[in-house]
Amino acid sequence: MDIILLNTADQPIYQQIKMQMATQILSGALPQGKKLPSIRGLAKELKISVITTKRAYEELENEGFIDTVPGKGSFVSARDQTQLKNQHIKEIQAKLIEIIEEGKQYDMTLEQIIHLVKKIYTRGN
């Protein structure tokens, strides 16, 4: 499992971990049933607080990406990944609606919003 943390990123460390793990799960890089590093083990590997890693794992579990078995560890969920992906697409859609509505409040046109989204998207790739 590859996780790259950037201290200069706008996202908190736990969110960087969560997003990278979720991406790896949805892409199949982390297959269903795969045992994940322990919370302490990952914290040690990444040289961060156990609390930070714990929060990332809790959010991944709450969102259905991983399952934690007491005394055994955390595993990539065996749930239908298509359903998870569709759920996240709906969440992204809701965020986009919120952004579009906010843009309208500032008299932004759809073209201006699309231009801004393209600019941000290409910056990240």
Side-chain angles (χ1 to χ4, degrees):
M1 178 170 60
D2 295 323
I3 296 178
I4 299 167
L5 300 178
L6 301 173
N7 291 326
T8 57
D10 291 336
Q11 289 181 316
I13 299 292
Y14 80 89
Q15 206 165 23
Q16 291 179 50
I17 296 168
K18 183 187 97 168
M19 294 302 294
Q20 289 180 47
M21 288 178 71
T23 300
Q24 291 179 41
I25 290 168
L26 289 174
S27 71
L30 287 174
Q32 292 180 357
K34 179 166 177 63
K35 187 173 186 339
L36 299 171
S38 70
I39 290 171
R40 288 183 192 279
L42 185 60
K44 185 176 180 181
E45 180 184 330
L46 298 174
K47 297 180 175 85
I48 59 171
S49 166
V50 172
I51 295 167
T52 302
T53 311
K54 186 176 188 302
R55 182 164 181 191
Y57 273 44
E58 284 173 349
E59 290 204 7
L60 286 163
E61 186 168 18
N62 290 339
E63 293 181 22
F65 286 104
I66 66 173
D67 296 314
T68 301
V69 180
K72 300 273 186 197
S74 297
F75 302 84
V76 174
S77 179
R79 297 178 201 167
D80 181 14
Q81 299 301 322
T82 305
Q83 185 179 6
L84 270 176
K85 194 171 193 174
N86 289 338
Q87 176 186 337
H88 284 276
I89 289 171
K90 285 180 184 178
E91 290 172 10
I92 291 168
Q93 187 175 15
K95 289 176 185 176
L96 284 172
I97 289 169
E98 198 175 301
I99 289 167
I100 290 168
E101 292 302 320
E102 189 171 340
K104 285 180 182 178
Q105 290 176 359
Y106 292 97
D107 296 323
M108 288 181 73
T109 66
L110 179 59
E111 291 75 23
Q112 289 172 318
I113 294 170
I114 291 170
H115 176 75
L116 187 59
V117 168
K118 284 181 180 179
K119 184 177 177 182
I120 293 168
Y121 184 80
T122 54
R123 183 182 71 195
N125 289 333

